[in-house]
Amino acid sequence: MQLGFMSTGDEIQTREQLGSKLFFDNILSKDQTVNCSSCHRPEFAFADTAVFSKGIGGKLTSRNSPGLTNLSGRTHFFWDGRASSLEEQALGPITSPDEMGLPIEEAIERLNNDKFYADAFKKVFKTAPNKDNLLKALAAFERTLETNNSPYDRYINGDDNAMSEAAIRGRLLFIGKGNCNNCHSGEDFTADRFKNIGLYNGKTLNDAGRFSITKDSTVLGEFKIPGLRNVALTAPYMHNGKFKTLRSVVEYYNNPSVVVNDGINRDLSLDKPLNLSNGEMDDIVAFLGALTDDRFLLNK
């Protein structure tokens, strides 16, 4: 699969191709100036390089735009987990006043009045554009963004030379001294849970995360644990884009209190410094870089 594909005319035969066309088309934004790829850029693992992305009228999003690769197996979407499916997630940016700002009813009207899309939806879904099949098309495209051809993948499949010596050391630190896999586990390096890592203090860091959705005080300051595949491409990091580099992320986890000493409700597992050396932190960063799928390197 390429980084992204835009089908035209008779080329559209599938939900995935239709979703791709919609993903890159400004038709789904209120003033037709932005599209999904404006905030989720293919060359950066469908993330953004800005702390906060620009929506219609230059409005900024309230959180950093995460990458969209390897989401097929996820159970929650958005930093606060407010969506439980890719279809539900796809609706959010379209209707958000700070992003694409288009009421869903108006979006459907536009698609029905556009001959290309009216014909394409009838070909693919055997019916006219509606909310349900619009979201199904976008989600179908997003499900094609799976990656499994990184140096790490080749290494665990038996190629001992696929990763650098630093990355090999970093992998052992990741699952050992660094305790990174306590949260970043499984094939896509996420436990599909929420955690407060200390980036909420109610003052300078006032995004309450999951609490804003559940109103449960026990989850105050918690955010969804993201997967780490292709993470080297998706800087800046965290829901607020606080860290510009992977090295600064690892430094934070090495001793969170040095960076934020007044975090509220921080997970107890982060109370003690990891005591990683500079070399060990470099090795972990090298391992994280080995999670980048080859398709992105080939398109640099």
Side-chain angles (χ1 to χ4, degrees):
M1 190 203 80
Q2 297 176 350
L3 293 187
F5 53 86
M6 293 181 61
S7 299
T8 59
D10 293 337
E11 294 178 15
I12 289 186
Q13 304 289 337
T14 67
R15 295 183 181 193
E16 292 80 6
Q17 291 171 339
L18 178 55
S20 172
K21 176 68 175 174
L22 290 161
F23 191 90
F24 294 95
D25 197 330
N26 290 351
I27 195 172
L28 292 179
S29 64
K30 181 72 174 179
D31 59 6
Q32 301 196 53
T33 60
V34 297
N35 57 63
C36 302
S37 72
S38 300
C39 299
H40 298 284
R41 300 168 59 184
E43 66 269 33
F44 296 110
F46 292 85
D48 199 355
T49 55
V51 173
F52 301 116
S53 302
K54 287 185 178 180
I56 59 171
K59 297 177 183 177
L60 295 179
T61 56
S62 60
R63 292 174 179 153
N64 180 255
S65 297
L68 297 182
T69 62
N70 300 85
L71 293 182
S72 293
R74 306 287 65 82
T75 55
H76 298 90
F77 302 87
F78 295 111
W79 282 106
D80 53 22
R82 63 185 181 274
S84 58
S85 69
L86 273 173
E87 286 79 4
E88 188 179 356
Q89 177 273 328
L91 176 63
I94 297 173
T95 59
S96 169
D98 294 332
E99 297 180 61
M100 298 164 81
L102 186 65
I104 192 63
E105 297 80 9
E106 189 173 339
I108 299 308
E109 182 180 1
R110 279 189 189 179
L111 295 174
N112 275 289
N113 289 335
D114 183 287
K115 178 174 172 34
F116 174 87
Y117 281 116
D119 291 346
F121 272 88
K122 288 178 181 176
K123 177 188 292 186
V124 172
F125 289 101
K126 312 304 181 187
T127 188
N130 57 51
K131 175 182 175 181
D132 180 65
N133 56 29
L134 166 60
L135 301 183
K136 283 181 177 178
L138 287 168
F141 169 62
E142 291 185 7
R143 289 191 178 96
T144 69
L145 306 179
E146 297 295 297
T147 63
N148 58 10
N149 189 25
S150 68
Y152 162 77
D153 291 301
R154 292 192 293 278
Y155 179 81
I156 62 172
N157 285 323
D159 182 353
D160 293 339
N161 298 314
M163 293 201 304
S164 68
E165 291 185 5
I168 292 172
R169 293 193 301 269
R171 176 175 178 262
L172 295 177
L173 289 162
F174 186 93
I175 62 180
K177 183 177 179 180
N179 199 31
C180 309
N181 72 330
N182 181 48
C183 293
H184 296 284
S185 58
E187 184 179 355
D188 293 325
F189 299 91
T190 173
D192 282 315
R193 292 184 283 114
F194 299 87
K195 180 163 282 196
N196 181 333
I197 63 167
L199 297 183
Y200 173 78
N201 61 14
K203 296 174 291 187
T204 55
L205 300 168
N206 57 15
D207 189 335
R210 184 70 171 158
F211 172 79
S212 300
I213 303 301
T214 68
K215 307 305 179 184
D216 178 356
S217 61
T218 65
V219 301
L220 187 65
E222 289 190 1
F223 292 89
K224 185 171 71 72
I225 298 170
L228 296 183
R229 284 187 175 274
N230 310 304
V231 69
L233 301 172
T234 64
Y237 301 101
M238 308 305 176
H239 66 279
N240 55 4
K242 181 175 179 61
F243 302 117
K244 294 182 179 180
T245 66
L246 280 176
R247 173 62 189 235
S248 61
V249 171
V250 177
E251 289 174 351
Y252 175 77
Y253 281 119
N254 194 38
N255 195 351
S257 295
V258 171
V259 181
V260 180
N261 62 12
D262 59 350
I264 297 172
N265 201 38
R266 188 177 69 192
D267 193 273
L268 295 177
S269 66
L270 299 175
D271 273 358
K272 294 181 179 180
L274 296 173
N275 295 316
L276 295 167
S277 68
N278 284 327
E280 288 173 329
M281 287 190 282
D282 288 340
D283 288 346
I284 291 176
V285 171
F287 170 64
L288 295 174
L291 303 181
T292 301
D293 191 271
D294 283 7
R295 76 186 61 178
F296 297 110
L297 300 179
L298 294 173
N299 282 272
K300 285 295 185 183

